Amino acid sequence: MDDKRDVTTPDDDETIVPGTSVVVPLVHTNEFEELTEELLNAHIGGDKTPKTGKILQIRQESLEEPETLAGPSTADAGDTHSDTGSIMTKSSSFCSAVDEDGAINIADSDDFMHDPDFLSQKLHVFILSAAGKPIYTLHGNEDKLATLFGVMQAIVSVVQSEDEDNLRAIHAGDSTFVFLNKSPIILVAVSKTKKSVPQLQMLLHDVFNQIVSTLTLSTLTKVYENRKNFDLRRLLSGSERLIHHLLLTDVRTKGISNNPFIFLTHSIRILPMQANVRDNIVSAIQNNCSKIKNLVFAILIAKSKLIALVRMKKYVIHPADLRIIFNLIDSTENFKYSESWTPICLPKFDPNGFMHAHVSYLAEDCEACLLLMSVERDHAVFSELSEAKRKITEKLRRSNCLEAINESINHKGINLRSIGLPEMRHFLYRCKSSAQLLCSEITVPYNTPEAFERLEATYFQLHDRIHSQSRPLKLIYEARETELLLVWVTQGYELFAVFEPLIDKITVINLVNKLLKWIKKEEDYLFILNAPSF
């Protein structure tokens, strides 16, 4: 039940808000509100002319050269991935399911609409052009689903022509059809999961951002301005695995982990580390990168968690862009074996321009990956960044930071029993000002695939109720036969927690207060509280 009257909330003292800092390297944003505003303000057939982006602005400020690094022109669009051929895996069929990734390989089926394996999937994602041209399907083969793509395009077109509006969702039985019209392409999710319409729209928005990160928005717009029936698979060939991996991470996580909750809360996770070790890492990056012109971001990550972020002054990065970066690193094995020079567009930073990233793992005995992101496209910069990475690694090895990173990577996570909270089963804590997420270790009784799936569905349902557009809530206290649930939203943070079913409300309140005080005490270890710059 929703109970806001007879539950005394924990101490609402802003001084206790853990993870809060005055200056943070991430954009503070509510992505649900951001997407809702974007959809409400969208004008069908409106002006699609790309605006001048931040990449051009940076180059003008630092080099006084007005050359833009926007994506490739239509004329050479076919060579979009010429710089990344060594790290992109080509495929004969765009996103035909890959067995080792857990997808269903039914690409040889002649009739997917009658295939029980295809129809039994809990989630389908389709991408098509505004003209109905197939671009992507999560399951099966898009060429053999051309009729289905045509039906989806027709439905969207009818709503636009008759109501002058964008179609958001259709509910039919146990399935929900969700549409995201990002002209010149349309994204569709067909779901039998517990995710709400806004949550599925956010998922589709992440997929759209992944496409923009590969092509840039200006390129995507130009190719369809010239040819409405253009087959976008020609440009995306080789990068379909990125979309596939993104959907597997967000929807059908391999194994049991807290990764789906990154998508749910639109935030990022931090690799816990002693403050002095993190300071040494930041110092090593600053000392070796401060004189490199047009270096915008230096990002050190491991296992989809942020270790350190150093940035050019005045610029911050959006959590959605970091999720794109995490997805690129996690889905590209070749990065582990050699240094790479790859273009990547960060849609929230500048959707119309490529940044160029020197990507490499610190050492063979360390799983941390360093990205040095510059607006310079000249390959000569690669050598300068490579030398900077070598010096950073040497300094981190001398100061024993590599061992500290490995130790943090191998740490299983926050064990609630070890911090004196045995009645609490699991929690999610998101600091709003820093957009950073903290999760406890997944243990009994949620350490089986079935039980974890139930926990995941519970969190998604609670999140939808808290952030409901028609009736937003600040507090949910719900007693079930199998567990107690608490969601508490303040100006400073959001907390989702699951407890043993037989404890009372007072005990729940005391446990939450104890957890918040512990997080506050350990915040230097658990969060990144500053925003260092070059």
Side-chain angles (χ1 to χ4, degrees), residues 199 261 264-265 424-430 437-440 455 458-467 476 484-489 493-499 512 515:
Q199 289 165 350
F261 307 134
L264 173 67
T265 58
M424 186 179 290
R425 292 179 173 179
H426 190 265
F427 78 87
L428 307 176
Y429 174 90
R430 179 184 186 269
L437 176 69
L438 185 65
C439 313
S440 61
L455 175 67
T458 298
Y459 277 147
F460 273 86
Q461 289 174 318
L462 292 172
H463 186 275
D464 183 53
R465 290 164 62 187
I466 281 288
H467 294 282
I476 294 177
L484 283 174
L485 305 171
L486 175 71
V487 185
W488 186 37
V489 178
Y493 59 84
E494 295 179 4
L495 176 67
F496 295 73
V498 185
F499 302 86
V512 169
L515 172 66

Side-chain angles (χ1 to χ4, degrees), residues 409-428:
I409 291 174
N410 295 329
H411 191 267
K412 291 184 178 180
I414 300 171
N415 186 294
L416 292 169
R417 290 185 176 273
S418 67
I419 62 175
L421 300 170
E423 301 90 349
M424 186 179 290
R425 292 179 173 179
H426 190 265
F427 78 87
L428 307 176

